[in-house]
Amino acid sequence: QNNLNLDFLSPNSENSYTLSIFNALGQIVLNKTIEAHKGLNQLQIDVQELNQGAYVIQLANASKSYRRSFIKQ
């Protein structure tokens, strides 16, 4: 699968997030800024260029950071 679907709630309108994907060595392999709106935000992230393996995705704003792992097959 070449797309990663990410759904998240943003408590504030016009909130800026940094989305990062780290490989198993802790190196950043993707880094982008996301402009979110208040409420449910749905992103589709193209991970076609990533090699197979385990990754960690991080979504962070000025006050909070969220991390989840995923496996690219």
Side-chain angles (χ1 to χ4, degrees):
Q1 185 172 344
N2 293 324
N3 289 314
L4 178 66
N5 296 314
L6 177 66
D7 297 343
F8 68 97
L9 291 172
S10 179
N12 304 314
S13 59
E14 299 180 24
N15 206 349
S16 180
Y17 289 83
T18 301
L19 181 128
S20 305
I21 296 180
F22 301 87
N23 65 16
L25 300 175
Q27 300 166 321
I28 295 176
V29 294
L30 186 142
N31 199 42
K32 61 181 2 181
T33 300
I34 305 294
E35 296 300 325
H37 57 271
K38 184 175 182 175
L40 179 63
N41 290 266
Q42 298 179 312
L43 302 176
Q44 193 170 66
I45 303 152
D46 183 4
V47 294
Q48 180 175 349
E49 300 298 319
L50 299 181
N51 294 326
Q52 292 181 351
Y55 294 89
V56 172
I57 186 166
Q58 175 179 285
L59 188 65
N61 64 13
S63 61
K64 294 193 177 193
S65 177
Y66 305 93
R67 288 180 162 226
R68 295 288 181 263
S69 58
F70 70 95
I71 296 176
K72 167 80 185 306
Q73 297 182 345

